[in-house]
């Protein structure tokens, strides 16, 4: 069995110049498979709102939703680090509420860390959560919970003012005690600068190859969607068409009486 991935191990991986792998999971079976294949970090993302629950964005996801799915994921994992994504309004109100909700991920759901979005404006929450002994992963760049404020899903950090703020925010999160930062949809050059500027691992999604690691939604890399595919996603399989074929074949064989056959029957 693999050695358990910890906060300390992730920093060691960065220092050795190796890359960190991170994928999403929202259920036991997927989490078990990712863990067995050797993924370093498994994120129970609030992206479950769109991927699993069918919402338009992540804003409708609740703490109870996240706890329910994180529990399922944690049951399937032995070595990967499980990170629970703190949903909209679970940490923004004040540091006390943020700490209480972060604690639920570890105490009730079995996660080893939490992730929250924002920079300087959430530094006090990060500090309080970390001081309570809970590892925190930051999230900068395109932050989906602020999608309305940002005017949609757009690349961040193209202007000088944005660049300076993102670099500053990364340093502030490091100082507040974050063990890692997800950097989403920013120019490759800026991501490289941020990665060099901090000692904690930077995990990119649409942030180029010079980050310390990469994260994607598992359903995206498996090609389970047949419509929109983001520019930063590489599909390593085309399961959408495979699944449709399997279901079509099943329907056809049941309708024609071909299934079940003798080998699937009891006597």
């Amino acid at each position: 069995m693999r050695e358990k991935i910890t906060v300390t191990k992730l920093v060691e991986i960065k220092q050795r110049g190796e890359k960190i792998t991170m994928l999403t999971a929202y259920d036991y079976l997927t989490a078990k498979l990712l863990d067995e294949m050797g993924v370093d970090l498994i994120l129970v993302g609030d992206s479950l709102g769109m991927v699993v629950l069918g919402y338009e964005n992540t804003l409708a996801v609740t703490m109870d939703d996240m706890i329910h799915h994180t529990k399922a994921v944690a049951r399937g994992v032995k070595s990967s680090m499980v990170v629970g994504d703190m949903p909209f309004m679970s940490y923004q109100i004040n540091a006390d509420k943020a700490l209480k909700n972060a604690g639920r991920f570890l105490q009730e759901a079995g996660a080893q860390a939490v992730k929250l979005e924002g920079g300087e404006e959430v530094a006090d929450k990060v500090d309080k959560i970390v001081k309570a002994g809970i590892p925190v992963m930051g999230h900068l760049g395109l932050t989906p919970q602020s999608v309305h404020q940002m005017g949609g899903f757009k690349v961040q950090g193209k202007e000088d003012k944005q660049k300076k703020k993102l670099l500053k925010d990364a340093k502030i999160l490091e100082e507040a005690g974050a063990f890692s930062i997800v950097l989403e949809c920013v120019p490759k050059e800026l991501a490289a600068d941020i990665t060099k500027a901090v000692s904690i691992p930077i995990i990119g999604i649409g942030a180029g190859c010079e980050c310390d690691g990469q994260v994607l939604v598992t359903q995206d890399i498996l090609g389970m969607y047949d419509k929109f595919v983001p520019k930063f996603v590489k599909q390593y399989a085309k399961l959408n068409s495979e699944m449709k074929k399997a279901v079509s074949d099943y329907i056809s064989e049941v309708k024609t009486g071909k299934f079940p056959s003798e080998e699937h029957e009891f006597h």
Side-chain angles (χ1 to χ4, degrees):
M1 190 174 78
R2 279 191 303 144
E3 202 174 344
K4 182 70 179 175
I5 299 295
T6 63
V7 169
T8 307
K9 284 210 162 299
L10 291 172
V11 175
E12 289 173 0
I13 293 172
K14 170 165 179 155
Q15 290 172 344
R16 290 198 301 264
E18 297 174 15
K19 296 294 187 181
I20 296 165
T21 57
M22 184 173 179
L23 284 169
T24 61
Y26 318 100
D27 63 90
Y28 167 81
L29 204 57
T30 303
K32 186 173 182 293
L33 185 148
L34 297 182
D35 182 63
E36 288 172 352
M37 294 309 297
V39 170
D40 296 315
L41 293 147
I42 295 177
L43 173 66
V44 189
D46 61 358
S47 47
L48 80 89
M50 295 172 285
V51 177
V52 178
L53 302 178
Y55 295 137
E56 185 180 345
N57 52 48
T58 64
L59 302 181
V61 178
T62 67
M63 270 299 297
D64 287 341
D65 290 333
M66 292 305 305
I67 295 297
H68 175 81
H69 286 273
T70 305
K71 279 182 179 179
V73 167
R75 291 185 199 113
V77 174
K78 293 180 180 177
S79 301
S80 303
M81 177 187 282
V82 176
V83 182
D85 213 353
M86 296 191 71
F88 183 58
M89 297 311 291
S90 67
Y91 59 93
Q92 287 93 337
I93 295 172
N94 57 54
D96 288 335
K97 185 162 185 178
L99 175 58
K100 182 179 179 180
N101 284 325
R104 289 188 65 192
F105 274 103
L106 274 68
Q107 192 171 42
E108 296 178 38
Q112 286 84 56
V114 298
K115 180 177 79 65
L116 51 82
E117 297 179 3
E120 186 174 8
E121 65 277 12
V122 299
D124 61 323
K125 283 95 171 178
V126 173
D127 178 70
K128 184 150 190 161
I129 295 169
V130 170
K131 281 178 177 173
I134 301 169
V136 175
M137 175 179 278
H139 186 151
L140 295 172
L142 173 59
T143 47
Q145 291 176 16
S146 305
V147 62
H148 295 311
Q149 190 178 39
M150 291 180 166
F153 295 96
K154 299 177 180 177
V155 175
Q156 303 296 308
K158 284 187 172 182
E159 300 169 4
D160 284 341
K161 187 177 178 181
Q162 280 187 328
K163 288 179 185 177
K164 289 176 182 176
K165 178 168 174 26
L166 284 171
L167 194 55
K168 179 185 176 185
D169 281 343
K171 291 176 180 177
I172 288 173
L173 287 176
E174 181 181 26
E175 288 168 9
F179 74 89
S180 179
I181 299 171
V182 167
L183 197 57
E184 182 169 359
C185 284
V186 302
K188 172 185 176 179
E189 297 79 9
L190 174 59
D193 289 342
I194 292 173
T195 303
K196 291 170 188 169
V198 296
S199 61
I200 59 176
I202 300 295
I203 312 296
I205 174 168
C209 63
E210 293 190 50
C211 296
D212 297 305
Q214 299 293 326
V215 58
L216 283 175
V217 171
T218 298
Q219 283 78 357
D220 283 342
I221 72 164
L222 295 178
M224 293 179 73
Y225 298 100
D226 60 351
K227 295 179 182 176
F228 175 70
V229 179
K231 176 182 172 63
F232 55 78
V233 169
K234 179 176 179 178
Q235 292 184 327
Y236 289 84
K238 300 284 186 183
L239 292 196
N240 185 279
S241 55
E242 288 291 314
M243 290 170 74
K244 284 180 177 176
K245 182 181 183 304
V247 173
S248 176
D249 290 347
Y250 166 75
I251 292 171
S252 175
E253 290 194 3
V254 170
K255 294 284 189 185
T256 59
K258 190 175 179 181
F259 176 83
S261 60
E262 176 71 21
E263 63 182 301
H264 307 110
E265 297 173 335
F266 301 99
H267 295 282

